[in-house]
Every structure is written in structure tokens, then in C-alpha cells.
Amino acid sequence: MEKLEALKKSMKEIALFINNAIDHIKEEEVEKMIDILMKAYHDHGKRKILVMGAGRSGLVGKAFAMRLMHLGYNAYVLGETIVPRIGRDDIVIAISGSGRTRLIVTAAEAAKAVGATLIAITTYPGSPLGKLADIVVTIPGRSKVAKEEDYFARQILGIHEPLAPLGTLFEDTCMVFLDGLVVELMRRLGKDEEEIRQRHANIE
Amino acid sequence: MEKLEALKKSMKEIALFINNAIDHIKEEEVEKMIDILMKAYHDHGKRKILVMGAGRSGLVGKAFAMRLMHLGYNAYVLGETIVPRIGRDDIVIAISGSGRTRLIVTAAEAAKAVGATLIAITTYPGSPLGKLADIVVTIPGRSKVAKEEDYFARQILGIHEPLAPLGTLFEDTCMVFLDGLVVELMRRLGKDEEEIRQRHANIE
Amino acid sequence: MEKLEALKKSMKEIALFINNAIDHIKEEEVEKMIDILMKAYHDHGKRKILVMGAGRSGLVGKAFAMRLMHLGYNAYVLGETIVPRIGRDDIVIAISGSGRTRLIVTAAEAAKAVGATLIAITTYPGSPLGKLADIVVTIPGRSKVAKEEDYFARQILGIHEPLAPLGTLFEDTCMVFLDGLVVELMRRLGKDEEEIRQRHANIE
Amino acid sequence: MEKLEALKKSMKEIALFINNAIDHIKEEEVEKMIDILMKAYHDHGKRKILVMGAGRSGLVGKAFAMRLMHLGYNAYVLGETIVPRIGRDDIVIAISGSGRTRLIVTAAEAAKAVGATLIAITTYPGSPLGKLADIVVTIPGRSKVAKEEDYFARQILGIHEPLAPLGTLFEDTCMVFLDGLVVELMRRLGKDEEEIRQRHANIE
């Protein structure tokens, strides 16, 4: 038996899943999200972007929010200390593989109630979060709540049961998707790595 | 020009980097880390695991710490509310691509001073963090501080300058590596997804 | 005019409010809370305590959760990385001056749904959070949402409009109340400061 | 014996300590801090304020940073997701009762190295943190590391050993001092509670 077989096999599976997910990206969804973010950039003194997610999806959201700040956006993360009032000009990005995480759905409802633009990043466009959103960006994954609906894993990897547990495939794919989105935004905003570096925290 | 070209190209690049990184994993390093974690599991009421990292590396560390908890470990994250006293029986896992992040090196020195076992996850084994550590696990990436040393990107992708800015390649590869490590630990500890699910937060 | 007049006057007002609040503590409410916490201590390997609150109330909750850990409890904070599954044997402590903070009420409902014991710390026992709770501990304050109901400030300080804005009086009084509760628990559990110190984080 | 005697006695002690601390505030120190904050406000699009502290002092810092944001400042908290690059025009506020918390001293050194203005809030002006700072604001308390130097508790309360353990007196006094400072800033900046409310988070 190969050494570290489970580790290597699952890394390979995740890398393959991410790679194959590229073909499942719905371009028109992503273009809508980029469109909003491009517009927000040009009056970035005013429009705020609030990113939210629970558990590991929340961590992926934080990694994206940090890069939004590096790009020059007024980005914030729900649950942290510095969270401003959100209004009708602002953008809320909610991340949930299942689209059913209760606190995220509740917060998304509050975002809609104040008139913010809600972008949902989820595997299930038909989920409660997906239905609330102005824009849905569909990212392949499994839902930790709906084992039986594991069609993406089957469709994308040709397997029934991936090695990585629960939401891992969604979270990792979402992380890489949002990192790709950062590169796309850099390109469209005419920013290079040096500018990103200039906004990176220097006390850490 | 293809739609969303930069996004897709950089996702492909990251997926490829992760996939190729598998061949650069140093098995003996990872086996040492697993060995410590396996031992820690069997007296898991006593040994604590403290995970630390700054910025996006810190978020990757949190994602791993959450899974360690799902596996049944007493895991903690530096900077959060619930951080216990660490002693000679405990394990500190420090994540830093460059191995030079100042607060992490300072915290790692404190960990060594109290006699804890220090595991460093870094691209540079010869860095200050790498030198402090009892065990180094080398993960390919670029360092955001040392542009000229970008040998992994060159070696692994055959390119000089990856699309994704700063530490992205390290962070995403590290995330997937640690998720692979979780699968390896599940296998060796005889745990299935259901057990992981049983420890997953239900208020979120 | 005295130097730093507003600063000194408002500090004096807050200190007086805290001092007078002692007479408004409902002993039977607090005894019920202590009773639960004493019982939880004696099988502290099993019963978990999850503390939750939004904004500054959440920070007060974290300060208390840290001390619960120093006392030897298995304490956790909603929204942090390490949050375990909560069940019928566990205790959830929710802090909200108004008792109407939406995400906290939603999380409290989830806690009740899994059968946990819910303790609400609030100014308004008749609020949605208060009604959900198994035990309410009433702490004087103003509610930032219900200006007209400012009866505590009137009653306790004999003034209509305190200097400190929004929830400040509740938050500071709650902080000191919970710190007093820690001293009470130390006394009843037979713990001295040295034992607290032994569990205090040493990597910080 | 009175019911809840230890709780009530320690609350009374803390309230008295806070009240007596007002007379120990060094006006010229606080005026210097206010002066910097007033100047920062008037070009608040540019100057950033980074607040830092470990453990419960860090929580007190977060509570203050939140209010700085409510006042219209660009405030940030070390360790959270959204932390910008700090430069010579920026302000760093470091909170540590003992003035010796290692990670805070290290971060304060980094702040000085980039030329930021460093404000230390501490019980010990002669501590490593105090010596680094451009401005020290002395707040009475005990240090959890230096039991023998407990002169403030003796001087202010006429007692040798306060009931509340470790840094409690410093933390609670610091919380109320900073809340008083917020009222002073409101007065000087001509802001009323309604303006604070307008910047308070509405998704929570």
C-alpha cells in the first residue's frame, strides 16, 4: 500500500473536483456578481460589502473579504467587531453550501429587509438562501445536510461518495473560485500584485 | 477572448498547483506529524492542540482546528476567546508560508519556552519558524515576502509568476493538504463521516 | 468648567448605576443560574456551556466565557471556530439587553429545539429572548431599541437620559455582574485566584 | 449570611474601584489622547486607528473600537479579518494592564517601526509597552503578573487583596473609562446618540 494513501487520494480528488468545477461555473451568474462589484468599486467610499457565512464557509468568506480589502473595497465580515450599518446601496455576500444554514438565512433576510443587494454563493440555487438572493452564484459541492442529493460529486467526479467529509468539497472549491474571482477583478480593475501588497496588513 | 478568462485560468492554475504539490509532500515529515496526532488522540482528555496563523493562513488553521474538534480532539485557536494554558504535553501547530510572520514566530517561541511540541507548516523549512519547530511540514507555495525565491511556482507550474497574488498558492494548497490529512486521520482512527457529523455544530 | 467633565461625569454615572443595580438583582433568578452552573461543574467533562451575544453584549459574553474556562468549565462562544454540537444536557447563555437581537433569538430558538437549558441575561424578561428562556436573569440597563421604556435609568439614577449612549449601561453592568458571579462561583466551588491563574492562557 | 454575598460584595468593590479611579486619571495624559483622536477625526478618510489587546483586555479594546466606528472613525482590531496596512499617519491603541503581554509588545514594536503613533493604556507606565508608547494613559488596576505591586488596589480601595481575580479590576475600569472617553468625544465632536445609532450595525 502506498504511504499516506488516503491523504494523497483525497487531495487528488479535491484538486480534480476544483478543476472540473470550472466547467460548471455559470458564466452569466458570475458576470452579474462581477458587474455589481465593479460598480461598487467606482464609488467605493460609499458602498459597503458585508460577507457572511457560518463555520468553514464563514472562514472562506473571511479569506475573500480580506482580498476585497486588498483590492480597495470597504469590506466587512458579519460577527466581527467592525460591522457598519447596511443600507440599500450596500452588498451582502452570503456563503452557504446547503443554502439552509439558519443564522445565515436569518441574516440574509435582514439584509433584504434593509434593501441591500444579496449575493448568495451556494450549491443549491433553490434553497431558502438561494431564493432570497438577488444574484445566485452556484458552486458545486455536497451539502452536509442532504447526502442523497449528492449529484455534483457523482456528476463531476464520477463517484458516489467523496473521501472528504461533509462540506469540504464545497468549501475548498469556493475558496479557489473566490481566489480566481480576485484575479479576474484585478484584471478588470487594472491592479497588479504590488497594489495588493500595499494594502496587506503589516502588523501581524 | 474567452469569458471569465482570468478567473478560469487562475482556478486551473491553483488546481494544478495543488495536484502537483502532492508529489512534493515529504512523507517522513507528514508521518511525524500524524504520529504525534495519533498519540495525542489516545489521551485526548489531556493533550491540547493549539493552532495559530496570521491573516489567511490563520483562517486555514481555523478550518483545520474545526475538523480536529470534529475528530474528537481538544483543539483551540490562538486569538479566540477560549485558549487554555499550554504545557509540555501539548501540541502547537503554527502555519506561515514565509515562516517569518512576526507575531507567529513570537508565539511559537512562547510555545517552545513552555515545552510544547511545535509543528510548523511552511514553505521555508529554513525560516525562523522552521528552525524553531520540532517538526516541519513543507508545503509548496510562494512567499509574499520573498518574491525572488519563487522556486516552487517555477518548479511545479513551470511558470515564473503565478496569476494568484501573494500567499494564495500556499494558503489554498495548505487548506487542501490539511483536508487530506483529516481524511488520513479518519482512516487511521477508524472514523467515518457520520462521526464527524455528530460533532459538527448544530447552532449556526 | 472642569477638565474632562463629560468623561468624569459619565464614568461616575456608570459606576453609580452599577452600584445601584446590585439592589435590583433578583436573588432567586441568580440562584437558579448558579444552581445550574454548580451542577454542570460536577460533571464538567460532559456538560458544555455555549455563550452567545451580538455586538458589545457578545464581547461581555466572551469575557465571561473566558472566566468560565478559567474555573474549569467546558465553555464555548457562538461564532468562534471551536463550537461543539449542543444537546439536551448542555447550557446556553444568551446575552441581549433588549432581548430582541434577531440572530440571538434565532440561535436561542435553535438551542431550545435541541433541548438545551437556555439562560437569558437581559433587561426585559418579557422580550422574545426572555420568553424563550428556562431561566431569566434581569440586569438593569437601557435598551437601544426602546428609548421610551427607559425606566431603569430613571428609577436607578433618577435621570431621564443617561450620558452613555445606547446599550452602554447594560453592557457595563452586565460585565461587572458576571465578574461578581465569577467571584461567587469561586467561593462556592472552593477555588482561589491561583487556580484561575493556572488555567489562564500563557501564549498571548 | 446575606444571599449572594460574594457576588454583591465584589460588584460593590468593582463599582467603588471604578468610581475612585476617576480621581486617579491623569488629565494631561487623557487630553493628549483626545487631542490625537480629535485631529484624526477631521481627516478621518485617511487616518486609521488600530486597537489591540490580548484576552479580556482585547475584548475591552473591541468594545471601544466598535464605538470609535459609531463615532465615524476608521477603526480596526488586530487579529480580525479586516486589518489594513498601518503607516506613519495612523494610530495604534494598545491595551495591557501589565504592559508586558508579549504578543502586544511585539505588535507595538511593529507599529513603532512603521512610524505609527502608539497610545498605551496600561496600569504600569514604566512597563515595556509603556516605554514604547508615544502617549501613555494610566488606568488603575492590578497586574495579573505582579501581585506584589498591588498598590492601586491598596491605595484606591484600602484593601490588600480585592475579591475579583487577576486583571478584572483593570479590565472593568478600562471598559468604563473608554466608555466615558466616548461620551467626551461625542461632546467635543458635537455628536448625539442618534448619530451613534445611525452607524450601529443593523444586521445582528
Side-chain angles (χ1 to χ4, degrees):
Chain A
M1 197 191 82
E2 203 193 359
K3 272 197 160 183
L4 299 173
E5 193 194 5
L7 184 153
K8 290 179 179 179
K9 224 173 131 183
S10 57
M11 281 186 76
K12 203 165 273 296
E13 198 175 284
I14 296 169
L16 181 64
F17 191 89
I18 293 169
N19 190 70
N20 291 357
I22 299 169
D23 296 333
H24 288 77
I25 286 171
K26 298 186 177 154
E27 288 164 357
E28 67 289 357
E29 291 178 350
V30 182
E31 285 290 355
K32 275 186 204 159
M33 180 175 178
I34 292 173
D35 194 45
I36 299 253
L37 291 175
M38 290 298 290
K39 278 183 194 142
Y41 183 80
H42 295 294
D43 30 36
H44 76 276
K46 281 168 261 157
R47 302 189 76 171
K48 297 160 221 149
I49 303 179
L50 179 65
V51 180
M52 53 170 74
R56 287 171 45 111
S57 291
L59 297 171
V60 168
K62 285 178 175 177
F64 182 54
M66 210 182 283
R67 284 283 189 254
L68 286 176
M69 176 197 60
H70 293 159
L71 287 167
Y73 285 97
N74 287 327
Y76 304 91
V77 176
L78 188 69
E80 299 218 330
T81 302
I82 305 300
V83 178
R85 175 167 287 263
I86 293 300
R88 57 176 57 254
D89 290 333
D90 299 324
I91 298 162
V92 172
I93 301 176
I95 304 177
S96 168
S98 68
R100 291 181 194 123
T101 313
R102 198 165 167 185
L103 292 177
I104 298 308
V105 173
T106 300
E109 286 167 353
K112 286 302 301 173
V114 300
T117 301
L118 177 64
I119 300 174
I121 301 183
T122 179
T123 300
Y124 298 101
S127 64
L129 179 64
K131 281 180 189 157
L132 274 173
D134 298 291
I135 296 170
V136 176
V137 174
T138 314
I139 297 293
R142 315 160 65 199
S143 162
K144 63 178 178 295
V145 289
K147 207 174 167 180
E148 59 291 346
E149 297 170 18
D150 225 347
Y151 59 94
F152 277 119
R154 276 200 298 275
Q155 200 177 333
I156 292 183
L157 292 178
I159 53 169
H160 188 71
E161 195 66 17
L163 288 165
L166 305 178
T168 307
L169 285 181
F170 171 75
E171 293 141 13
D172 292 357
T173 305
C174 195
M175 178 93 162
V176 174
F177 165 75
L178 292 170
D179 279 338
L181 189 58
V182 167
V183 175
E184 184 77 34
L185 288 168
M186 284 172 71
R187 194 65 63 90
R188 297 202 191 184
L189 294 167
K191 292 183 183 301
D192 61 10
E193 189 181 37
E194 194 46 38
E195 192 174 337
I196 304 292
R197 194 190 310 270
Q198 283 311 317
R199 287 207 194 77
H200 195 284
N202 52 353
I203 300 182
E204 64 167 23
Chain B
M1 197 190 82
E2 202 193 358
K3 271 196 161 183
L4 299 174
E5 194 195 4
L7 184 152
K8 290 178 179 181
K9 227 172 127 182
S10 56
M11 283 186 75
K12 203 163 272 297
E13 200 175 282
I14 296 168
L16 182 64
F17 190 89
I18 294 168
N19 191 70
N20 291 357
I22 300 169
D23 296 332
H24 289 77
I25 287 172
K26 296 181 180 157
E27 287 164 359
E28 68 289 358
E29 291 178 351
V30 182
E31 285 291 355
K32 277 186 204 158
M33 179 174 178
I34 291 172
D35 194 46
I36 299 254
L37 292 174
M38 290 297 290
K39 277 182 195 144
Y41 184 80
H42 294 292
D43 28 36
H44 75 277
K46 281 169 261 157
R47 300 190 75 173
K48 299 160 219 150
I49 303 179
L50 179 65
V51 180
M52 51 170 76
R56 289 171 44 110
S57 291
L59 298 170
V60 168
K62 285 178 175 175
F64 181 55
M66 210 181 284
R67 285 285 188 250
L68 285 177
M69 176 197 59
H70 294 159
L71 287 168
Y73 285 98
N74 286 329
Y76 303 92
V77 176
L78 187 70
E80 299 218 327
T81 301
I82 305 301
V83 178
R85 177 168 286 264
I86 293 300
R88 57 177 56 255
D89 289 333
D90 300 323
I91 299 162
V92 172
I93 302 176
I95 304 176
S96 167
S98 71
R100 291 181 193 122
T101 313
R102 199 165 165 183
L103 293 177
I104 298 309
V105 173
T106 300
E109 285 167 354
K112 286 303 300 172
V114 300
T117 301
L118 177 64
I119 301 174
I121 302 184
T122 179
T123 300
Y124 299 101
S127 64
L129 179 64
K131 282 178 189 158
L132 275 172
D134 297 291
I135 296 169
V136 176
V137 174
T138 313
I139 296 294
R142 314 161 64 199
S143 163
K144 65 177 177 295
V145 288
K147 206 175 167 179
E148 59 289 347
E149 296 170 17
D150 224 348
Y151 60 93
F152 277 119
R154 274 201 298 274
Q155 202 179 330
I156 291 183
L157 293 177
I159 53 168
H160 187 71
E161 194 67 19
L163 286 165
L166 306 179
T168 306
L169 286 181
F170 172 75
E171 292 140 14
D172 292 356
T173 304
C174 194
M175 178 93 163
V176 174
F177 164 74
L178 292 170
D179 280 338
L181 188 59
V182 167
V183 175
E184 184 76 35
L185 287 167
M186 285 172 71
R187 193 67 61 90
R188 297 201 191 185
L189 294 167
K191 292 182 182 299
D192 61 8
E193 188 179 37
E194 194 47 38
E195 192 175 337
I196 304 292
R197 195 191 310 270
Q198 284 310 318
R199 287 208 194 77
H200 194 285
N202 52 353
I203 300 183
E204 64 168 23
Chain C
M1 197 191 80
E2 202 193 357
K3 271 195 161 184
L4 299 174
E5 194 194 4
L7 183 152
K8 290 178 179 180
K9 227 173 128 182
S10 57
M11 280 185 77
K12 203 164 274 297
E13 199 175 283
I14 296 169
L16 181 63
F17 190 90
I18 293 168
N19 190 70
N20 292 357
I22 299 169
D23 295 333
H24 288 77
I25 286 172
K26 297 183 179 157
E27 287 162 359
E28 68 289 358
E29 291 179 351
V30 182
E31 285 290 356
K32 275 186 206 158
M33 181 174 176
I34 291 173
D35 195 45
I36 299 253
L37 291 175
M38 291 298 290
K39 276 182 198 143
Y41 183 80
H42 295 293
D43 29 36
H44 75 276
K46 280 169 260 155
R47 299 189 76 173
K48 298 161 220 150
I49 303 179
L50 179 66
V51 181
M52 51 169 77
R56 287 171 46 109
S57 292
L59 297 171
V60 168
K62 286 179 175 177
F64 181 53
M66 212 181 283
R67 284 285 187 252
L68 287 177
M69 175 197 59
H70 294 159
L71 287 167
Y73 285 98
N74 287 328
Y76 303 91
V77 176
L78 188 68
E80 299 218 329
T81 301
I82 304 301
V83 179
R85 175 166 288 263
I86 293 300
R88 57 177 56 254
D89 289 333
D90 300 323
I91 299 162
V92 172
I93 302 177
I95 305 176
S96 166
S98 69
R100 291 181 193 122
T101 312
R102 199 165 167 184
L103 292 178
I104 298 309
V105 173
T106 300
E109 286 168 351
K112 286 302 299 172
V114 299
T117 300
L118 177 64
I119 301 174
I121 301 183
T122 179
T123 301
Y124 299 101
S127 63
L129 179 64
K131 282 180 191 157
L132 275 173
D134 298 290
I135 296 169
V136 176
V137 174
T138 313
I139 297 295
R142 315 161 65 199
S143 163
K144 64 176 179 297
V145 289
K147 207 175 165 177
E148 59 289 349
E149 296 169 18
D150 224 348
Y151 60 94
F152 277 119
R154 275 200 299 274
Q155 201 178 332
I156 292 183
L157 292 177
I159 53 170
H160 187 70
E161 195 67 18
L163 287 165
L166 306 179
T168 307
L169 285 180
F170 171 76
E171 293 141 12
D172 292 357
T173 305
C174 194
M175 178 93 163
V176 174
F177 164 75
L178 292 170
D179 279 338
L181 188 58
V182 168
V183 175
E184 185 76 35
L185 288 168
M186 284 171 71
R187 193 66 61 91
R188 299 201 190 185
L189 294 168
K191 291 182 182 300
D192 61 8
E193 189 180 37
E194 194 46 38
E195 191 175 337
I196 305 291
R197 196 192 308 273
Q198 284 309 318
R199 287 208 195 77
H200 195 286
N202 52 353
I203 300 184
E204 64 169 23
Chain D
M1 198 192 82
E2 201 193 359
K3 273 197 160 182
L4 300 173
E5 194 195 5
L7 184 153
K8 289 178 179 179
K9 225 173 130 184
S10 57
M11 281 186 77
K12 203 164 274 296
E13 199 175 283
I14 296 169
L16 182 64
F17 190 90
I18 294 169
N19 191 69
N20 292 357
I22 299 170
D23 296 332
H24 288 76
I25 286 172
K26 298 186 177 153
E27 288 163 358
E28 67 288 358
E29 290 179 350
V30 182
E31 285 291 355
K32 275 186 205 159
M33 180 175 177
I34 291 174
D35 194 46
I36 299 253
L37 291 175
M38 291 298 289
K39 278 183 194 140
Y41 183 80
H42 295 293
D43 30 37
H44 74 275
K46 279 169 264 156
R47 300 188 76 171
K48 297 160 220 151
I49 303 178
L50 179 65
V51 181
M52 52 170 75
R56 287 170 47 110
S57 291
L59 298 171
V60 169
K62 284 179 176 176
F64 181 54
M66 211 183 281
R67 284 285 189 252
L68 286 177
M69 176 197 62
H70 293 160
L71 288 167
Y73 285 97
N74 287 327
Y76 303 91
V77 177
L78 188 69
E80 300 219 327
T81 301
I82 305 300
V83 178
R85 175 167 287 262
I86 293 300
R88 56 176 58 254
D89 290 333
D90 299 323
I91 298 162
V92 171
I93 302 176
I95 304 177
S96 167
S98 69
R100 292 183 193 120
T101 313
R102 197 165 169 186
L103 292 178
I104 299 308
V105 173
T106 300
E109 286 168 351
K112 286 303 299 172
V114 300
T117 301
L118 177 65
I119 300 174
I121 301 182
T122 179
T123 300
Y124 299 101
S127 64
L129 180 64
K131 282 180 189 156
L132 273 174
D134 297 291
I135 296 170
V136 176
V137 174
T138 314
I139 297 294
R142 314 162 64 198
S143 163
K144 64 177 178 297
V145 289
K147 206 175 168 181
E148 59 289 349
E149 297 170 16
D150 225 348
Y151 60 93
F152 277 118
R154 277 200 298 273
Q155 200 179 332
I156 292 183
L157 293 177
I159 52 168
H160 188 71
E161 195 68 17
L163 287 164
L166 305 180
T168 307
L169 286 181
F170 171 76
E171 293 141 13
D172 292 357
T173 305
C174 194
M175 178 93 163
V176 174
F177 164 75
L178 292 170
D179 279 339
L181 188 59
V182 167
V183 175
E184 185 76 35
L185 288 168
M186 284 172 72
R187 194 65 62 91
R188 298 200 191 184
L189 294 167
K191 292 184 182 301
D192 61 8
E193 188 180 37
E194 192 48 37
E195 192 175 336
I196 304 291
R197 194 190 310 272
Q198 284 310 317
R199 287 207 194 77
H200 195 285
N202 53 352
I203 300 183
E204 63 168 23

